[in-house]
Amino acid sequence: MPGSAKEGSINPFHGKDFITVKGVQREAVEYLFTRAKMMEMIRNAKAVLEVLQGHAIPIIFYQPSTRTFSSFFAATRFLGAVALPIHDMASYSSASKGENLPDSVRSLERTTDASAIVLRHPDNNSSEVAAQYAEIPIINAGSGTAEHPTQALLDLFTIWKRLGTIDNLHVAFVGDMKFGRTVKSLAALLAQLGKSNTFTFVSAEELALPEDYKATLDPNTFSETEDLSTIIRDADVVYVTRTQAEWFRQHGMMEQLEQLRAKLKVGKEEVALMKGDAIVMHPLPRQEELRYGIDTDPKAAYWEQMANGLYIRMALLEAILVENPEDHPDKLGLKQQHINRSE
Ligand code: NCD
C-alpha cells in the first residue's frame, strides 16, 4: 500500500499533544492500530504492564462522561502509571472559585509531576489553550462541540476491525450534526485518511452540520437528507448520535428540543433494511434514537466501540510517552498491521 508504515518505523505521537484529528496521517493510524491490537491481546490475557511506571496522568473532566473517563482511567492503570482522575472539575476544583484553565493545568502539572494531561472541557479551543500553557502533552478527550479525536480513532479502529478497510465506505451519520463532536472528528478522519469514502449527514434541518465543517469536506463526497430511509440500504456504516440537549439553551433552541429529540430513530425496522455486513455504531450515551431491540443484532458494533476505546487509549498513552516500545524491557513490539484487508 502506498504510504503504509514500514516495520520498525518511528512513533509519530511521541512527546506530542493529541488535540485534533487534523493532520493525522495514515502511517500514524497504522502505528496506533498495531499497538492497539497488542493492547487487546494483553487485556485478553488480563496482563498489566509496567511500561508507564513512574508516570502520573491527571484525567480532568469539566463535562460528564462514562466511557471516555473510565477507559482513560483504566488505560492509565493497565499501563502501570498513576492516574489522577478528577471527574467533576467544574464543581470540585478551583475552577469553581474562578480559576482559569491555564492556571489549573499548570498547577496540576507541578503538583503531580505529571507526564501528560487528559482533558475534557466545554470550550471548543480548550485543548489548544491548555497546550499553550502546559509543558507536557495534552490529550483532548472532548472539546466543546468541535472535536473528540480519541473517539474518532476508536471509531475508525472499530470500522477497520469490522469491515477490514477504511476506504470506499458510505457512512451515514444520523442525529445531531450541529452540536455533536464525534461526527465531526470521525468524518474528518475518514475523509483525510480513507480513499473514496462518501458521507450522508442525516438530520433535521435545524441540526445540520455547520457550514464551516462542510467547507472542510470535498462537496462531491457528501450529501444531506432528513430521511434515513432513502439511503440506509446503501450505507456500510450507520453512525447514530443523540440530540445534544445540553447545548440547546445556550443557542436559544430550548423550544425546539422536544420536537427534534426523537425525530430520527434506528431500531429493528431500520436495521432490517441495511446491507448484510453493514454496521450500526453509536458513541453513546443513547436516548430514544437507538432502540434497545437491536443490542444483540450482529450489526450492532457499539459494545465493541467501548472495548476498542480502551485499547486505543492504552495505545495512545503509550505512544505519547514511550518512543519505542521495543526498547522497553517488556519488549512489546508487534508486526505492523496494515489497514486494508488485501494487504
Ligand atoms: C460523546 C461525547 O462526549 O461527545 N460521548 C462519548 O465520549 N462517548 C457523545 C455524546 O455525548 O453524545
Side-chain angles (χ1 to χ4, degrees):
M1 178 176 87
S4 71
K6 303 283 175 298
E7 217 175 309
S9 65
I10 51 153
N11 163 8
F13 297 94
H14 184 241
K16 296 191 187 141
D17 299 309
F18 186 68
I19 57 184
T20 174
V21 294
K22 287 185 200 93
V24 172
Q25 308 277 321
R26 200 157 165 131
E27 292 87 337
V29 166
E30 288 185 342
Y31 177 86
L32 204 72
F33 284 8
T34 302
R35 299 306 302 159
K37 284 281 234 178
M38 172 57 100
M39 298 307 173
E40 183 171 2
M41 282 166 52
I42 285 161
R43 285 317 306 152
N44 287 341
K46 296 282 174 262
V48 175
L49 302 178
E50 293 178 351
V51 66
L52 294 191
Q53 208 169 37
H55 291 280
I57 303 175
I59 303 170
I60 58 172
F61 276 43
Y62 292 76
Q63 288 180 297
S65 170
T66 299
R67 282 146 289 270
T68 309
F69 186 81
S70 58
S71 60
F72 265 117
F73 179 76
T76 304
R77 301 289 299 269
F78 290 151
L79 294 169
V82 174
L84 294 146
I86 310 180
H87 205 158
D88 202 345
M89 278 296 283
S91 337
Y92 293 116
S93 79
S94 287
S96 70
K97 303 177 191 167
E99 182 166 84
N100 64 18
L101 184 60
D103 281 2
S104 295
V105 163
R106 285 181 291 190
S107 303
L108 284 164
E109 192 174 350
R110 285 160 181 79
T111 56
T112 67
D113 191 21
S115 302
I117 292 177
V118 179
L119 171 68
R120 168 171 289 196
H121 194 282
D123 292 349
N124 284 0
N125 66 348
S126 46
S127 280
E128 282 87 348
V129 168
Q132 219 179 306
Y133 288 91
E135 282 167 22
I136 54 175
I138 297 293
I139 302 170
N140 181 357
S143 49
T145 60
E147 278 242 30
H148 196 343
T150 64
Q151 178 76 40
L153 288 174
L154 76 89
D155 290 340
L156 195 72
F157 188 51
T158 304
I159 291 171
W160 172 63
K161 283 169 79 178
R162 272 289 194 121
L163 305 179
T165 182
I166 59 163
D167 301 324
N168 300 305
L169 299 173
H170 175 195
V171 181
F173 290 102
V174 182
D176 187 344
M177 309 294 114
K178 183 178 173 74
F179 299 123
R181 53 194 172 198
T182 62
V183 166
K184 291 162 192 148
S185 291
L186 180 57
L189 199 58
L190 277 164
Q192 180 175 308
L193 298 183
K195 297 177 196 101
S196 310
N197 289 324
T198 56
F199 312 110
T200 307
F201 299 107
V202 187
S203 73
E205 208 183 329
E206 296 88 334
L207 297 178
L209 195 66
E211 292 301 327
D212 52 337
Y213 282 94
K214 278 189 234 169
T216 64
L217 297 170
D218 175 348
N220 299 316
T221 61
F222 74 91
S223 58
E224 295 174 279
T225 178
E226 294 197 36
D227 186 357
L228 178 60
S229 69
T230 57
I231 55 103
I232 196 162
R233 287 178 181 80
D234 185 62
D236 300 295
V237 178
V238 176
Y239 189 101
V240 191
T241 63
R242 76 182 165 92
T243 305
Q244 311 271 311
E246 65 270 39
W247 299 103
F248 274 55
R249 188 173 305 280
Q250 184 179 327
H251 289 81
M253 290 175 66
M254 279 311 274
E255 279 174 17
Q256 289 148 279
L257 181 58
E258 282 321 307
Q259 172 232 329
L260 292 173
R261 189 168 243 158
K263 228 175 170 182
L264 289 157
K265 288 196 173 112
V266 174
K268 279 186 176 167
E269 260 174 56
E270 288 75 19
V271 169
L273 301 174
M274 289 168 62
K275 289 195 282 196
D277 57 355
I279 56 173
V280 179
M281 297 177 70
H282 195 304
L284 274 75
R286 69 173 133 186
Q287 288 167 348
E288 45 282 86
E289 74 283 349
L290 182 69
R291 311 310 299 169
Y292 287 78
I294 57 170
D295 283 2
T296 52
D297 192 296
K299 290 191 172 76
Y302 33 95
W303 308 113
E304 291 144 52
Q305 277 171 271
M306 292 174 219
N308 288 335
L310 172 63
Y311 312 139
I312 283 287
R313 288 173 176 133
M314 287 176 77
L316 184 67
L317 287 171
E318 180 208 58
I320 289 173
L321 296 174
V322 179
E323 185 164 16
N324 184 358
E326 292 272 7
D327 291 343
H328 189 269
D330 283 355
K331 290 253 180 293
L332 297 170
L334 189 72
K335 202 174 172 318
Q336 191 83 20
Q337 304 273 331
H338 295 291
I339 48 185
N340 264 339
R341 211 191 266 124
S342 54
E343 286 155 298

